[in-house]
Amino acid sequence: SEKKTTTDLDAVVVGAGFAGLYMLHRLRGLGMGALVLERASGVGGTWYWNRYPGARCDSESYYYCYAFSKELEQEWEWTERYPRQPEIKRYLDHVTDRFDLRRDIRFDTAVTAARYDEDSRSWAVTTDAGDTLTCRYLITAVGCLSAANVPDIPGLETFAGRWNHTGRWPHEGVDVTGKRVGIVGTGSTGIQAIPVLAEDAAHLTVFQRTANYSIPARNGPLSAEESAAYKASYDDIRAVQAASTNGHPFVVSDRSALDATPEERDRIYAEAWDRGGLRFRASFRDLLADPDANETASEFLRDRIRDVVDDPETAEKLVPRDHGFATKRPPIDTHYFETYNRDDVSLVDVKATPIEEIVPAGVRTSEGVIELDHLVFATGFDAMTGPLLSFEITGTGGTTLREAWAAGPRGYLGLQVSGFPNLFTITGPGSPSVLTNMPTTIEQHVDWITGCLAHLREHGVDRIEADPEAERAWGEHVQEAAEATLLPRAASSWYLGANVPGKPRVFMPYAGGFARYTRTCTDVAEDGYRGFVLEPARA
Ligand code: NA7
């Protein structure tokens, strides 16, 4: 096909998920010419790709959505407490059409490279169709969890059955009825998929590396009354989210777990357990700050696993000991631990019984071959940096982002990287992103970038770049904020890059809290974009 060159766009946005869609809407509002490039055939990002059985959001539907349009908030009807993947995909399709976004999205178009040109102060973006687009601003909306991590297990190519990564699930679905299925991974994804796969499979074998805590989701249909009540209180809900640590509309208790008597603590945890969901974390103020406080919650949750799982040996394998509750991303579930009471489900602890190789018939562990027809990798993602390094971004002096990040990601506010002028990274490393309710964080970033672009235009500026010193100070602050919590102590956490062999161990998201982060971003802007170097357009 003929190679096309599109020039003089104000902005190119990479990705058409929650972030890219809203960014396009705001760029339109500025009267800017913008295009979104999307490798998938439809909108949705995470919610386009993650179609595995049981795929569902762990945030509740009434706040896992955009806040920018009151009309949208009022007209959309969620059907369940936690939305399933198809429902979120429908929502994002609705948003796309309602705001007439589709005409400026190029689907089935993957960006292969982007190169900054200092003479024209613009980016040249090339696509897998061989097209080139030039634009003043390049804005990545590639998500934090979109680069699939498939473990490099010897012999995978010899497997006679089929295998899939959960984040690349076939759109036609996978029928596991009557099949012997294996699943590797017990993170949020595995914990959602395991009970659903167990229903259909002839036998399910779970390969667990690190045992995990999980809180029951207590999912169910959203009644008309509940829905109406949320809709009537959106102003309050949004205010609580804005003032929160994690972008969820929960008020964290101001009590220390250590000030409560054991009986009080048990009562509070039992109530949180019965209510279900991520709110469990808000039971006390110091669960993520004080190891002794954390241990009280961890121990409560270990006991629940022992209550639920009938076979004591299996229960002990499932009890987490390597990390404290919520120091890794805490999963929530529907009948996860109960699933191990089925006689057609078995658990392999791969730390005790390692996977040695994959053979045509299945998985060979140190104890022999487990025969399988289908193998599922719920093995997570090359988080935060993976998506940004999946195509080659070249900044000033011919330096690539991969080179700049060889020792781990750096960036200012998670929004810009020095050496890469006019590049904005929505939910980039060093932003709160994955520690928060994503749509909330995304809107804050997009709004900030929109304000910044308006400011640049107003002041005749056409080049903005993070100052290396401000970037260094921010990096230090990100590490200090992490050290003030228990999060960096979870050695196997993907927040640290620990799940990807060879990845630098750097704590990537900003753990200082969403409200504090937002205040910092606002101050920086009000202070004339402190820490950014702004250069007026050349005559
Ligand atoms: P996660 O949370 O990274 O979980 C991946 C799971 O796969 C986890 O249990 C890993 O064990 C396991 N894993 C990864 N590689 C291997 C190998 N090589 N062998 C055995 N087991 C392995 O990804 P999810 O998709 O569940 O969730 C990602 C996020 O999506 C989630 O946090 C939410 O934000 C939504 P490990 O713990 O590394 O020992």
Side-chain angles (χ1 to χ4, degrees):
S1 74
E2 209 179 311
K3 310 277 175 268
K4 292 190 294 284
T5 302
T6 308
T7 54
D8 297 334
L9 288 163
D10 292 305
V12 165
V13 179
V14 187
F18 265 100
L21 293 174
Y22 182 45
M23 191 73 245
L24 175 59
H25 178 62
R26 295 302 312 264
L27 288 164
R28 288 248 190 94
L30 290 174
M32 288 190 165
L35 270 183
V36 176
L37 304 179
E38 169 56 62
R39 71 188 152 126
S41 306
V43 300
T46 288
W47 304 106
Y48 177 91
W49 296 103
N50 282 270
R51 302 185 187 216
Y52 59 86
R56 190 184 286 287
C57 186
D58 288 347
S59 288
E60 297 186 40
S61 50
Y62 73 89
Y63 69 88
Y64 191 79
C65 51
Y66 292 115
F68 71 84
S69 161
K70 298 227 179 285
E71 296 75 27
L72 176 64
E73 244 170 24
Q74 293 301 319
E75 75 200 11
W76 182 260
E77 293 295 340
W78 294 106
T79 67
E80 287 183 282
R81 180 172 175 188
Y82 303 91
R84 285 180 64 217
Q85 173 271 331
E87 188 165 17
I88 306 173
K89 173 83 172 74
R90 267 202 307 281
Y91 170 74
L92 290 172
D93 272 310
H94 169 74
V95 170
T96 304
D97 295 328
R98 190 189 193 291
F99 297 96
D100 189 25
L101 301 175
R102 219 172 280 276
R103 62 188 159 89
D104 286 327
I105 307 173
R106 270 194 210 169
F107 294 105
D108 302 302
T109 304
V111 173
T112 51
R115 177 174 278 272
Y116 179 70
D117 176 56
E118 195 65 271
D119 290 335
S120 59
R121 293 185 172 171
S122 66
W123 284 90
V125 179
T126 47
T127 74
D128 59 352
D131 297 339
T132 301
L133 300 92
T134 64
C135 54
R136 178 74 62 210
Y137 301 107
L138 175 61
I139 305 174
T140 59
V142 291
C144 295
L145 299 163
S146 53
N149 173 42
V150 178
D152 188 14
I153 304 175
L156 179 57
E157 70 289 351
T158 70
F159 184 48
R162 281 181 70 190
W163 67 267
N164 304 96
H165 185 277
T166 49
R168 291 284 176 280
W169 204 256
H171 289 193
E172 66 279 13
V174 175
D175 185 7
V176 299
T177 312
K179 301 240 165 74
R180 297 162 304 177
V181 179
I183 180 167
V184 184
T186 53
S188 302
T189 299
I191 282 176
Q192 287 185 342
I194 285 163
V196 183
L197 287 169
E199 287 288 329
D200 292 339
H203 191 95
L204 180 69
T205 306
V206 178
F207 297 91
Q208 169 188 275
R209 185 162 70 181
T210 305
N212 225 335
Y213 302 90
S214 185
I215 313 285
R218 314 281 180 212
N219 187 38
L222 207 59
S223 69
E225 295 73 42
E226 285 169 309
S227 216
Y230 289 136
K231 287 184 182 190
S233 14
Y234 262 126
D235 288 345
D236 296 338
I237 292 166
R238 299 309 186 187
V240 178
Q241 287 181 278
S244 71
T245 307
N246 300 99
H248 294 270
F250 310 152
V251 177
V252 178
S253 163
D254 56 7
R255 287 188 75 182
S256 162
L258 303 174
D259 291 343
T261 65
E263 294 72 31
E264 271 180 299
R265 244 185 346 242
D266 270 359
R267 184 181 48 75
I268 288 167
Y269 287 143
E271 279 168 16
W273 173 266
D274 290 342
R275 189 173 51 224
L278 292 172
R279 195 184 288 228
F280 191 94
R281 232 173 4 186
S283 300
F284 292 103
R285 70 170 149 78
D286 49 358
L287 294 185
L288 287 177
D290 183 301
D292 296 329
N294 183 282
E295 182 58 18
T296 64
S298 300
E299 200 45 36
F300 176 88
L301 295 172
R302 291 185 194 114
D303 284 343
R304 298 292 74 70
I305 299 172
R306 295 179 177 115
D307 289 348
V308 170
V309 179
D310 296 337
D311 172 42
E313 208 181 303
T314 304
E316 287 314 307
K317 282 192 208 168
L318 288 166
V319 165
R321 294 183 179 81
D322 300 344
H323 66 287
F325 164 64
T327 58
K328 296 174 75 172
R329 164 65 153 78
I332 66 173
D333 71 274
T334 300
H335 307 314
Y336 172 63
F337 292 113
E338 289 85 341
T339 300
Y340 293 95
N341 294 335
R342 300 174 64 118
D343 51 18
D344 53 4
V345 173
S346 40
L347 176 65
V348 177
D349 168 1
V350 301
K351 277 188 180 148
T353 314
I355 295 176
E356 291 180 340
E357 61 172 337
I358 294 173
V359 294
V363 169
R364 181 195 299 283
T365 72
S366 58
E367 288 182 351
V369 174
I370 297 168
E371 293 190 0
L372 299 173
D373 306 305
H374 203 108
L375 185 55
V376 176
F377 290 108
T379 43
F381 301 90
D382 181 355
M384 300 199 81
T385 52
L388 286 163
L389 297 175
S390 69
F391 57 99
E392 192 170 80
I393 303 181
T394 308
T396 54
T399 303
T400 64
L401 191 63
R402 185 173 291 281
E403 289 161 350
W405 283 3
R410 53 176 178 75
Y412 182 38
L413 300 171
L415 279 161
Q416 269 219 329
V417 184
S418 71
F420 298 84
N422 295 357
L423 168 68
F424 293 95
T425 52
I426 302 175
T427 65
S431 74
S433 61
V434 293
L435 300 178
T436 66
N437 180 52
M438 279 305 239
T440 307
T441 304
I442 284 168
E443 278 190 316
Q444 184 268 341
H445 260 195
V446 170
D447 289 342
W448 191 93
I449 293 167
T450 305
C452 178
L453 294 179
H455 174 94
L456 300 183
R457 186 169 61 187
E458 213 171 292
H459 292 80
V461 170
D462 69 357
R463 187 186 192 282
I464 177 169
E465 181 181 358
D467 167 25
E469 179 47 33
E471 179 179 80
R472 195 198 51 72
W474 181 252
E476 257 172 36
H477 179 58
V478 170
Q479 294 313 307
E480 278 162 17
E483 293 302 331
T485 73
L486 303 175
L487 302 181
R489 301 193 192 188
S492 66
S493 168
W494 58 255
Y495 297 151
L496 281 166
N499 62 326
V500 177
K503 189 166 174 173
R505 298 285 168 100
V506 174
F507 193 85
M508 295 179 288
Y510 176 58
F514 174 67
R516 186 169 161 204
Y517 175 80
T518 303
R519 255 194 327 273
T520 306
C521 291
T522 305
D523 286 352
V524 162
E526 283 174 357
D527 208 5
Y529 293 90
R530 185 179 69 232
F532 291 95
V533 180
L534 277 53
E535 291 184 23
R538 300 184 189 109

